[in-house]
PDB file of all heavy atoms in Angstrom:
ATOM      1  N   ALA A   1       0.772  -1.211   0.006  1.00 90.00           N
ATOM      2  CA  ALA A   1       0.012   0.021  -0.003  1.00 90.00           C
ATOM      3  C   ALA A   1       0.847   1.251  -0.026  1.00 90.00           C
ATOM      4  O   ALA A   1       0.308   2.368  -0.025  1.00 90.00           O
ATOM      5  CB  ALA A   1      -0.925  -0.024   1.199  1.00 90.00           C
ATOM      6  N   GLY A   2       2.167   1.119   0.083  1.00 89.00           N
ATOM      7  CA  GLY A   2       3.056   2.260  -0.037  1.00 89.00           C
ATOM      8  C   GLY A   2       3.707   2.705   1.221  1.00 89.00           C
ATOM      9  O   GLY A   2       4.546   3.634   1.212  1.00 89.00           O
ATOM     10  N   ALA A   3       3.431   2.136   2.381  1.00 91.00           N
ATOM     11  CA  ALA A   3       3.990   2.487   3.648  1.00 91.00           C
ATOM     12  C   ALA A   3       5.244   1.652   3.932  1.00 91.00           C
ATOM     13  O   ALA A   3       5.208   0.753   4.777  1.00 91.00           O
ATOM     14  CB  ALA A   3       2.959   2.375   4.768  1.00 91.00           C
ATOM     15  N   ARG A   4       6.344   1.975   3.221  1.00 92.00           N
ATOM     16  CA  ARG A   4       7.565   1.175   3.411  1.00 92.00           C
ATOM     17  C   ARG A   4       8.139   1.214   4.820  1.00 92.00           C
ATOM     18  O   ARG A   4       8.623   0.229   5.358  1.00 92.00           O
ATOM     19  CB  ARG A   4       8.575   1.642   2.375  1.00 92.00           C
ATOM     20  CG  ARG A   4       8.243   1.368   0.966  1.00 92.00           C
ATOM     21  CD  ARG A   4       8.044  -0.096   0.667  1.00 92.00           C
ATOM     22  NE  ARG A   4       9.103  -0.956   1.134  1.00 92.00           N
ATOM     23  CZ  ARG A   4       9.140  -2.289   1.042  1.00 92.00           C
ATOM     24  NH1 ARG A   4       8.074  -2.885   0.540  1.00 92.00           N
ATOM     25  NH2 ARG A   4      10.163  -2.992   1.467  1.00 92.00           N
ATOM     26  N   TRP A   5       8.109   2.425   5.410  1.00 94.00           N
ATOM     27  CA  TRP A   5       8.643   2.565   6.771  1.00 94.00           C
ATOM     28  C   TRP A   5       7.922   1.668   7.775  1.00 94.00           C
ATOM     29  O   TRP A   5       8.532   1.027   8.574  1.00 94.00           O
ATOM     30  CB  TRP A   5       8.562   4.029   7.207  1.00 94.00           C
ATOM     31  CG  TRP A   5       7.209   4.559   7.245  1.00 94.00           C
ATOM     32  CD1 TRP A   5       6.525   5.142   6.203  1.00 94.00           C
ATOM     33  CD2 TRP A   5       6.308   4.573   8.340  1.00 94.00           C
ATOM     34  NE1 TRP A   5       5.257   5.536   6.556  1.00 94.00           N
ATOM     35  CE2 TRP A   5       5.102   5.208   7.896  1.00 94.00           C
ATOM     36  CE3 TRP A   5       6.368   4.165   9.666  1.00 94.00           C
ATOM     37  CZ2 TRP A   5       4.009   5.344   8.717  1.00 94.00           C
ATOM     38  CZ3 TRP A   5       5.293   4.329  10.483  1.00 94.00           C
ATOM     39  CH2 TRP A   5       4.115   4.887  10.032  1.00 94.00           C
ATOM     40  N   LEU A   6       6.570   1.648   7.661  1.00 95.00           N
ATOM     41  CA  LEU A   6       5.803   0.806   8.545  1.00 95.00           C
ATOM     42  C   LEU A   6       6.031  -0.649   8.248  1.00 95.00           C
ATOM     43  O   LEU A   6       6.131  -1.489   9.128  1.00 95.00           O
ATOM     44  CB  LEU A   6       4.333   1.168   8.432  1.00 95.00           C
ATOM     45  CG  LEU A   6       3.300   0.377   9.295  1.00 95.00           C
ATOM     46  CD1 LEU A   6       3.719   0.507  10.793  1.00 95.00           C
ATOM     47  CD2 LEU A   6       1.899   0.867   9.078  1.00 95.00           C
ATOM     48  N   SER A   7       6.111  -0.984   6.960  1.00 94.00           N
ATOM     49  CA  SER A   7       6.362  -2.337   6.552  1.00 94.00           C
ATOM     50  C   SER A   7       7.645  -2.891   7.120  1.00 94.00           C
ATOM     51  O   SER A   7       7.772  -3.965   7.659  1.00 94.00           O
ATOM     52  CB  SER A   7       6.356  -2.467   5.004  1.00 94.00           C
ATOM     53  OG  SER A   7       6.677  -3.761   4.608  1.00 94.00           O
ATOM     54  N   ASP A   8       8.726  -2.074   7.013  1.00 94.00           N
ATOM     55  CA  ASP A   8      10.042  -2.486   7.494  1.00 94.00           C
ATOM     56  C   ASP A   8      10.028  -2.592   9.063  1.00 94.00           C
ATOM     57  O   ASP A   8      10.608  -3.505   9.554  1.00 94.00           O
ATOM     58  CB  ASP A   8      11.122  -1.487   7.110  1.00 94.00           C
ATOM     59  CG  ASP A   8      11.353  -1.488   5.594  1.00 94.00           C
ATOM     60  OD1 ASP A   8      10.975  -2.475   4.943  1.00 94.00           O
ATOM     61  OD2 ASP A   8      11.941  -0.518   5.067  1.00 94.00           O
ATOM     62  N   GLY A   9       9.281  -1.713   9.687  1.00 96.00           N
ATOM     63  CA  GLY A   9       9.201  -1.836  11.169  1.00 96.00           C
ATOM     64  C   GLY A   9       8.468  -3.115  11.626  1.00 96.00           C
ATOM     65  O   GLY A   9       8.926  -3.794  12.558  1.00 96.00           O
ATOM     66  N   LEU A  10       7.422  -3.395  10.927  1.00 96.00           N
ATOM     67  CA  LEU A  10       6.688  -4.669  11.271  1.00 96.00           C
ATOM     68  C   LEU A  10       7.520  -5.910  10.959  1.00 96.00           C
ATOM     69  O   LEU A  10       7.494  -6.899  11.678  1.00 96.00           O
ATOM     70  CB  LEU A  10       5.328  -4.701  10.539  1.00 96.00           C
ATOM     71  CG  LEU A  10       4.253  -3.740  11.014  1.00 96.00           C
ATOM     72  CD1 LEU A  10       3.084  -3.708  10.058  1.00 96.00           C
ATOM     73  CD2 LEU A  10       3.790  -4.099  12.422  1.00 96.00           C
ATOM     74  N   LEU A  11       8.326  -5.832   9.891  1.00 95.00           N
ATOM     75  CA  LEU A  11       9.156  -6.938   9.549  1.00 95.00           C
ATOM     76  C   LEU A  11      10.194  -7.128  10.677  1.00 95.00           C
ATOM     77  O   LEU A  11      10.427  -8.301  11.053  1.00 95.00           O
ATOM     78  CB  LEU A  11       9.873  -6.674   8.228  1.00 95.00           C
ATOM     79  CG  LEU A  11      10.963  -7.672   7.834  1.00 95.00           C
ATOM     80  CD1 LEU A  11      10.340  -9.093   7.626  1.00 95.00           C
ATOM     81  CD2 LEU A  11      11.665  -7.271   6.519  1.00 95.00           C
ATOM     82  N   ALA A  12      10.745  -6.084  11.208  1.00 95.00           N
ATOM     83  CA  ALA A  12      11.689  -6.220  12.265  1.00 95.00           C
ATOM     84  C   ALA A  12      11.029  -6.824  13.477  1.00 95.00           C
ATOM     85  O   ALA A  12      11.665  -7.679  14.190  1.00 95.00           O
ATOM     86  CB  ALA A  12      12.347  -4.831  12.635  1.00 95.00           C
ATOM     87  N   VAL A  13       9.790  -6.455  13.772  1.00 96.00           N
ATOM     88  CA  VAL A  13       9.096  -7.005  14.915  1.00 96.00           C
ATOM     89  C   VAL A  13       8.836  -8.482  14.653  1.00 96.00           C
ATOM     90  O   VAL A  13       9.043  -9.332  15.575  1.00 96.00           O
ATOM     91  CB  VAL A  13       7.753  -6.273  15.107  1.00 96.00           C
ATOM     92  CG1 VAL A  13       6.880  -7.034  16.145  1.00 96.00           C
ATOM     93  CG2 VAL A  13       7.988  -4.873  15.576  1.00 96.00           C
ATOM     94  N   ALA A  14       8.478  -8.889  13.443  1.00 96.00           N
ATOM     95  CA  ALA A  14       8.188 -10.269  13.150  1.00 96.00           C
ATOM     96  C   ALA A  14       9.448 -11.110  13.326  1.00 96.00           C
ATOM     97  O   ALA A  14       9.400 -12.253  13.849  1.00 96.00           O
ATOM     98  CB  ALA A  14       7.651 -10.403  11.717  1.00 96.00           C
ATOM     99  N   VAL A  15      10.596 -10.618  12.849  1.00 96.00           N
ATOM    100  CA  VAL A  15      11.824 -11.366  12.915  1.00 96.00           C
ATOM    101  C   VAL A  15      12.189 -11.502  14.376  1.00 96.00           C
ATOM    102  O   VAL A  15      12.632 -12.598  14.825  1.00 96.00           O
ATOM    103  CB  VAL A  15      12.925 -10.603  12.143  1.00 96.00           C
ATOM    104  CG1 VAL A  15      14.340 -11.235  12.451  1.00 96.00           C
ATOM    105  CG2 VAL A  15      12.694 -10.689  10.660  1.00 96.00           C
ATOM    106  N   ALA A  16      12.059 -10.449  15.190  1.00 96.00           N
ATOM    107  CA  ALA A  16      12.386 -10.557  16.633  1.00 96.00           C
ATOM    108  C   ALA A  16      11.513 -11.586  17.326  1.00 96.00           C
ATOM    109  O   ALA A  16      11.984 -12.443  18.113  1.00 96.00           O
ATOM    110  CB  ALA A  16      12.236  -9.183  17.278  1.00 96.00           C
ATOM    111  N   MET A  17      10.203 -11.555  17.041  1.00 95.00           N
ATOM    112  CA  MET A  17       9.279 -12.527  17.640  1.00 95.00           C
ATOM    113  C   MET A  17       9.644 -13.971  17.266  1.00 95.00           C
ATOM    114  O   MET A  17       9.628 -14.857  18.059  1.00 95.00           O
ATOM    115  CB  MET A  17       7.845 -12.207  17.280  1.00 95.00           C
ATOM    116  CG  MET A  17       7.246 -11.003  17.958  1.00 95.00           C
ATOM    117  SD  MET A  17       5.420 -10.940  17.783  1.00 95.00           S
ATOM    118  CE  MET A  17       5.278 -10.592  16.034  1.00 95.00           C
ATOM    119  N   TYR A  18       9.975 -14.155  15.956  1.00 96.00           N
ATOM    120  CA  TYR A  18      10.342 -15.457  15.478  1.00 96.00           C
ATOM    121  C   TYR A  18      11.551 -15.999  16.181  1.00 96.00           C
ATOM    122  O   TYR A  18      11.577 -17.150  16.684  1.00 96.00           O
ATOM    123  CB  TYR A  18      10.605 -15.397  13.976  1.00 96.00           C
ATOM    124  CG  TYR A  18      10.845 -16.724  13.325  1.00 96.00           C
ATOM    125  CD1 TYR A  18       9.786 -17.541  12.925  1.00 96.00           C
ATOM    126  CD2 TYR A  18      12.138 -17.214  13.148  1.00 96.00           C
ATOM    127  CE1 TYR A  18      10.005 -18.770  12.345  1.00 96.00           C
ATOM    128  CE2 TYR A  18      12.346 -18.466  12.544  1.00 96.00           C
ATOM    129  CZ  TYR A  18      11.282 -19.240  12.166  1.00 96.00           C
ATOM    130  OH  TYR A  18      11.515 -20.471  11.604  1.00 96.00           O
ATOM    131  N   GLY A  19      12.558 -15.147  16.411  1.00 95.00           N
ATOM    132  CA  GLY A  19      13.744 -15.607  17.075  1.00 95.00           C
ATOM    133  C   GLY A  19      13.508 -15.965  18.538  1.00 95.00           C
ATOM    134  O   GLY A  19      13.961 -16.990  19.025  1.00 95.00           O
ATOM    135  N   LEU A  20      12.675 -15.182  19.255  1.00 94.00           N
ATOM    136  CA  LEU A  20      12.379 -15.457  20.630  1.00 94.00           C
ATOM    137  C   LEU A  20      11.566 -16.699  20.725  1.00 94.00           C
ATOM    138  O   LEU A  20      11.832 -17.580  21.636  1.00 94.00           O
ATOM    139  CB  LEU A  20      11.628 -14.300  21.256  1.00 94.00           C
ATOM    140  CG  LEU A  20      12.413 -12.969  21.443  1.00 94.00           C
ATOM    141  CD1 LEU A  20      11.434 -11.859  21.881  1.00 94.00           C
ATOM    142  CD2 LEU A  20      13.490 -13.152  22.497  1.00 94.00           C
ATOM    143  N   LEU A  21      10.582 -16.863  19.882  1.00 94.00           N
ATOM    144  CA  LEU A  21       9.744 -18.091  19.941  1.00 94.00           C
ATOM    145  C   LEU A  21      10.505 -19.307  19.585  1.00 94.00           C
ATOM    146  O   LEU A  21      10.288 -20.386  20.184  1.00 94.00           O
ATOM    147  CB  LEU A  21       8.537 -17.883  19.008  1.00 94.00           C
ATOM    148  CG  LEU A  21       7.432 -16.935  19.528  1.00 94.00           C
ATOM    149  CD1 LEU A  21       6.530 -16.562  18.393  1.00 94.00           C
ATOM    150  CD2 LEU A  21       6.680 -17.542  20.684  1.00 94.00           C
ATOM    151  N   LEU A  22      11.430 -19.209  18.609  1.00 94.00           N
ATOM    152  CA  LEU A  22      12.161 -20.363  18.197  1.00 94.00           C
ATOM    153  C   LEU A  22      13.078 -20.825  19.330  1.00 94.00           C
ATOM    154  O   LEU A  22      13.200 -22.059  19.609  1.00 94.00           O
ATOM    155  CB  LEU A  22      13.010 -19.957  17.024  1.00 94.00           C
ATOM    156  CG  LEU A  22      13.630 -21.123  16.167  1.00 94.00           C
ATOM    157  CD1 LEU A  22      12.488 -21.959  15.557  1.00 94.00           C
ATOM    158  CD2 LEU A  22      14.543 -20.630  15.077  1.00 94.00           C
ATOM    159  N   ALA A  23      13.671 -19.890  20.063  1.00 93.00           N
ATOM    160  CA  ALA A  23      14.555 -20.247  21.199  1.00 93.00           C
ATOM    161  C   ALA A  23      13.677 -20.884  22.306  1.00 93.00           C
ATOM    162  O   ALA A  23      14.075 -21.931  22.935  1.00 93.00           O
ATOM    163  CB  ALA A  23      15.262 -19.025  21.729  1.00 93.00           C
ATOM    164  N   ALA A  24      12.487 -20.271  22.525  1.00 93.00           N
ATOM    165  CA  ALA A  24      11.624 -20.824  23.598  1.00 93.00           C
ATOM    166  C   ALA A  24      11.151 -22.219  23.257  1.00 93.00           C
ATOM    167  O   ALA A  24      11.117 -23.137  24.108  1.00 93.00           O
ATOM    168  CB  ALA A  24      10.451 -19.889  23.839  1.00 93.00           C
ATOM    169  N   TRP A  25      10.810 -22.439  21.989  1.00 92.00           N
ATOM    170  CA  TRP A  25      10.351 -23.790  21.582  1.00 92.00           C
ATOM    171  C   TRP A  25      11.455 -24.778  21.548  1.00 92.00           C
ATOM    172  O   TRP A  25      11.211 -26.018  21.859  1.00 92.00           O
ATOM    173  CB  TRP A  25       9.657 -23.699  20.224  1.00 92.00           C
ATOM    174  CG  TRP A  25       8.154 -23.510  20.353  1.00 92.00           C
ATOM    175  CD1 TRP A  25       7.496 -22.326  20.276  1.00 92.00           C
ATOM    176  CD2 TRP A  25       7.209 -24.531  20.735  1.00 92.00           C
ATOM    177  NE1 TRP A  25       6.127 -22.566  20.519  1.00 92.00           N
ATOM    178  CE2 TRP A  25       5.950 -23.857  20.778  1.00 92.00           C
ATOM    179  CE3 TRP A  25       7.293 -25.894  20.976  1.00 92.00           C
ATOM    180  CZ2 TRP A  25       4.806 -24.537  21.111  1.00 92.00           C
ATOM    181  CZ3 TRP A  25       6.127 -26.534  21.266  1.00 92.00           C
ATOM    182  CH2 TRP A  25       4.883 -25.903  21.336  1.00 92.00           C
ATOM    183  N   ALA A  26      12.663 -24.355  21.276  1.00 92.00           N
ATOM    184  CA  ALA A  26      13.775 -25.302  21.330  1.00 92.00           C
ATOM    185  C   ALA A  26      13.979 -25.776  22.783  1.00 92.00           C
ATOM    186  O   ALA A  26      14.283 -26.971  22.997  1.00 92.00           O
ATOM    187  CB  ALA A  26      15.057 -24.604  20.854  1.00 92.00           C
ATOM    188  N   ARG A  27      13.831 -24.877  23.731  1.00 92.00           N
ATOM    189  CA  ARG A  27      13.933 -25.283  25.160  1.00 92.00           C
ATOM    190  C   ARG A  27      12.803 -26.228  25.535  1.00 92.00           C
ATOM    191  O   ARG A  27      12.989 -27.194  26.245  1.00 92.00           O
ATOM    192  CB  ARG A  27      13.886 -24.050  26.044  1.00 92.00           C
ATOM    193  CG  ARG A  27      15.143 -23.187  26.004  1.00 92.00           C
ATOM    194  CD  ARG A  27      15.176 -22.258  27.149  1.00 92.00           C
ATOM    195  NE  ARG A  27      13.992 -21.337  27.231  1.00 92.00           N
ATOM    196  CZ  ARG A  27      13.893 -20.199  26.653  1.00 92.00           C
ATOM    197  NH1 ARG A  27      14.910 -19.710  25.907  1.00 92.00           N
ATOM    198  NH2 ARG A  27      12.827 -19.465  26.749  1.00 92.00           N
ATOM    199  N   ARG A  28      11.575 -25.865  25.021  1.00 91.00           N
ATOM    200  CA  ARG A  28      10.441 -26.727  25.391  1.00 91.00           C
ATOM    201  C   ARG A  28      10.567 -28.105  24.855  1.00 91.00           C
ATOM    202  O   ARG A  28      10.288 -29.094  25.542  1.00 91.00           O
ATOM    203  CB  ARG A  28       9.176 -26.076  24.873  1.00 91.00           C
ATOM    204  CG  ARG A  28       7.941 -26.894  25.398  1.00 91.00           C
ATOM    205  CD  ARG A  28       6.662 -26.270  25.057  1.00 91.00           C
ATOM    206  NE  ARG A  28       5.630 -27.034  25.785  1.00 91.00           N
ATOM    207  CZ  ARG A  28       4.503 -27.474  25.248  1.00 91.00           C
ATOM    208  NH1 ARG A  28       4.150 -27.131  24.047  1.00 91.00           N
ATOM    209  NH2 ARG A  28       3.637 -28.150  25.981  1.00 91.00           N
ATOM    210  N   VAL A  29      10.955 -28.221  23.543  1.00 91.00           N
ATOM    211  CA  VAL A  29      11.101 -29.584  22.945  1.00 91.00           C
ATOM    212  C   VAL A  29      12.148 -30.363  23.676  1.00 91.00           C
ATOM    213  O   VAL A  29      12.045 -31.573  23.837  1.00 91.00           O
ATOM    214  CB  VAL A  29      11.428 -29.433  21.450  1.00 91.00           C
ATOM    215  CG1 VAL A  29      11.816 -30.800  20.876  1.00 91.00           C
ATOM    216  CG2 VAL A  29      10.257 -28.856  20.709  1.00 91.00           C
ATOM    217  N   THR A  30      13.201 -29.657  24.135  1.00 91.00           N
ATOM    218  CA  THR A  30      14.290 -30.343  24.832  1.00 91.00           C
ATOM    219  C   THR A  30      13.869 -30.824  26.233  1.00 91.00           C
ATOM    220  O   THR A  30      14.109 -31.942  26.669  1.00 91.00           O
ATOM    221  CB  THR A  30      15.510 -29.439  24.948  1.00 91.00           C
ATOM    222  OG1 THR A  30      15.948 -29.096  23.630  1.00 91.00           O
ATOM    223  CG2 THR A  30      16.679 -30.141  25.679  1.00 91.00           C
ATOM    224  N   ARG A  31      13.189 -29.968  26.950  1.00 90.00           N
ATOM    225  CA  ARG A  31      12.862 -30.224  28.350  1.00 90.00           C
ATOM    226  C   ARG A  31      11.529 -30.916  28.560  1.00 90.00           C
ATOM    227  O   ARG A  31      11.366 -31.617  29.580  1.00 90.00           O
ATOM    228  CB  ARG A  31      12.827 -28.923  29.143  1.00 90.00           C
ATOM    229  CG  ARG A  31      14.133 -28.155  29.079  1.00 90.00           C
ATOM    230  CD  ARG A  31      13.988 -26.825  29.784  1.00 90.00           C
ATOM    231  NE  ARG A  31      15.254 -26.025  29.753  1.00 90.00           N
ATOM    232  CZ  ARG A  31      15.402 -24.791  30.244  1.00 90.00           C
ATOM    233  NH1 ARG A  31      14.289 -24.266  30.834  1.00 90.00           N
ATOM    234  NH2 ARG A  31      16.506 -24.165  30.188  1.00 90.00           N
ATOM    235  N   HIS A  32      10.574 -30.720  27.639  1.00 89.00           N
ATOM    236  CA  HIS A  32       9.221 -31.270  27.844  1.00 89.00           C
ATOM    237  C   HIS A  32       8.729 -31.959  26.592  1.00 89.00           C
ATOM    238  O   HIS A  32       7.590 -31.805  26.153  1.00 89.00           O
ATOM    239  CB  HIS A  32       8.253 -30.109  28.179  1.00 89.00           C
ATOM    240  CG  HIS A  32       8.689 -29.258  29.301  1.00 89.00           C
ATOM    241  ND1 HIS A  32       8.797 -29.687  30.618  1.00 89.00           N
ATOM    242  CD2 HIS A  32       9.174 -27.953  29.295  1.00 89.00           C
ATOM    243  CE1 HIS A  32       9.237 -28.718  31.382  1.00 89.00           C
ATOM    244  NE2 HIS A  32       9.454 -27.639  30.608  1.00 89.00           N
ATOM    245  N   ARG A  33       9.608 -32.847  26.080  1.00 90.00           N
ATOM    246  CA  ARG A  33       9.219 -33.456  24.781  1.00 90.00           C
ATOM    247  C   ARG A  33       7.994 -34.374  24.917  1.00 90.00           C
ATOM    248  O   ARG A  33       7.239 -34.603  24.008  1.00 90.00           O
ATOM    249  CB  ARG A  33      10.393 -34.258  24.238  1.00 90.00           C
ATOM    250  CG  ARG A  33      11.006 -35.228  25.143  1.00 90.00           C
ATOM    251  CD  ARG A  33      12.269 -35.894  24.487  1.00 90.00           C
ATOM    252  NE  ARG A  33      12.999 -36.760  25.359  1.00 90.00           N
ATOM    253  CZ  ARG A  33      13.924 -36.316  26.178  1.00 90.00           C
ATOM    254  NH1 ARG A  33      14.309 -35.058  26.199  1.00 90.00           N
ATOM    255  NH2 ARG A  33      14.577 -37.174  26.942  1.00 90.00           N
ATOM    256  N   HIS A  34       7.747 -34.963  26.115  1.00 92.00           N
ATOM    257  CA  HIS A  34       6.564 -35.789  26.317  1.00 92.00           C
ATOM    258  C   HIS A  34       5.284 -34.927  26.210  1.00 92.00           C
ATOM    259  O   HIS A  34       4.292 -35.422  25.679  1.00 92.00           O
ATOM    260  CB  HIS A  34       6.638 -36.509  27.663  1.00 92.00           C
ATOM    261  CG  HIS A  34       7.830 -37.475  27.779  1.00 92.00           C
ATOM    262  ND1 HIS A  34       7.942 -38.566  26.939  1.00 92.00           N
ATOM    263  CD2 HIS A  34       8.905 -37.465  28.527  1.00 92.00           C
ATOM    264  CE1 HIS A  34       9.028 -39.226  27.224  1.00 92.00           C
ATOM    265  NE2 HIS A  34       9.623 -38.587  28.218  1.00 92.00           N
ATOM    266  N   ASP A  35       5.324 -33.715  26.711  1.00 92.00           N
ATOM    267  CA  ASP A  35       4.170 -32.842  26.619  1.00 92.00           C
ATOM    268  C   ASP A  35       3.929 -32.507  25.154  1.00 92.00           C
ATOM    269  O   ASP A  35       2.753 -32.445  24.675  1.00 92.00           O
ATOM    270  CB  ASP A  35       4.399 -31.575  27.425  1.00 92.00           C
ATOM    271  CG  ASP A  35       4.384 -31.817  28.904  1.00 92.00           C
ATOM    272  OD1 ASP A  35       3.885 -32.841  29.337  1.00 92.00           O
ATOM    273  OD2 ASP A  35       4.885 -30.948  29.636  1.00 92.00           O
ATOM    274  N   VAL A  36       4.988 -32.194  24.427  1.00 93.00           N
ATOM    275  CA  VAL A  36       4.874 -31.848  23.024  1.00 93.00           C
ATOM    276  C   VAL A  36       4.302 -33.056  22.288  1.00 93.00           C
ATOM    277  O   VAL A  36       3.427 -32.896  21.373  1.00 93.00           O
ATOM    278  CB  VAL A  36       6.216 -31.425  22.440  1.00 93.00           C
ATOM    279  CG1 VAL A  36       6.101 -31.194  20.932  1.00 93.00           C
ATOM    280  CG2 VAL A  36       6.745 -30.197  23.127  1.00 93.00           C
ATOM    281  N   ALA A  37       4.804 -34.227  22.570  1.00 94.00           N
ATOM    282  CA  ALA A  37       4.299 -35.452  21.882  1.00 94.00           C
ATOM    283  C   ALA A  37       2.826 -35.631  22.150  1.00 94.00           C
ATOM    284  O   ALA A  37       2.062 -36.019  21.259  1.00 94.00           O
ATOM    285  CB  ALA A  37       5.091 -36.658  22.317  1.00 94.00           C
ATOM    286  N   ALA A  38       2.377 -35.350  23.367  1.00 94.00           N
ATOM    287  CA  ALA A  38       0.947 -35.484  23.703  1.00 94.00           C
ATOM    288  C   ALA A  38       0.154 -34.479  22.882  1.00 94.00           C
ATOM    289  O   ALA A  38      -0.987 -34.770  22.441  1.00 94.00           O
ATOM    290  CB  ALA A  38       0.747 -35.302  25.181  1.00 94.00           C
ATOM    291  N   GLU A  39       0.638 -33.274  22.740  1.00 95.00           N
ATOM    292  CA  GLU A  39      -0.093 -32.252  21.942  1.00 95.00           C
ATOM    293  C   GLU A  39      -0.176 -32.679  20.469  1.00 95.00           C
ATOM    294  O   GLU A  39      -1.148 -32.332  19.771  1.00 95.00           O
ATOM    295  CB  GLU A  39       0.565 -30.900  22.088  1.00 95.00           C
ATOM    296  CG  GLU A  39       0.381 -30.301  23.480  1.00 95.00           C
ATOM    297  CD  GLU A  39       1.212 -29.068  23.736  1.00 95.00           C
ATOM    298  OE1 GLU A  39       2.192 -28.844  22.971  1.00 95.00           O
ATOM    299  OE2 GLU A  39       0.975 -28.388  24.690  1.00 95.00           O
ATOM    300  N   LEU A  40       0.827 -33.342  19.995  1.00 95.00           N
ATOM    301  CA  LEU A  40       0.824 -33.831  18.601  1.00 95.00           C
ATOM    302  C   LEU A  40      -0.210 -34.934  18.414  1.00 95.00           C
ATOM    303  O   LEU A  40      -0.537 -35.311  17.276  1.00 95.00           O
ATOM    304  CB  LEU A  40       2.221 -34.271  18.160  1.00 95.00           C
ATOM    305  CG  LEU A  40       3.198 -33.129  17.939  1.00 95.00           C
ATOM    306  CD1 LEU A  40       4.609 -33.699  17.764  1.00 95.00           C
ATOM    307  CD2 LEU A  40       2.831 -32.291  16.720  1.00 95.00           C
TER     308      LEU A  40
END
């Protein structure tokens, strides 16, 4: 829609969230894999 500055800002937010969630899920899969298996 033409708002490059807002687009780039939201991209930075998305990348930051992805990194945090990826680290948190790596810990969860390592520490609580039985819970994850049950959810699957």
Side-chain angles (χ1 to χ4, degrees):
R4 293 300 309 176
W5 59 273
L6 180 57
S7 176
D8 292 342
L10 288 171
L11 174 62
V13 171
V15 170
M17 285 194 292
Y18 186 84
L20 291 173
L21 286 165
L22 197 62
W25 267 98
R27 290 195 303 270
R28 186 175 188 223
V29 171
T30 301
R31 299 176 183 179
H32 308 292
R33 54 184 175 273
H34 296 297
D35 292 341
V36 175
E39 289 169 345
L40 287 169

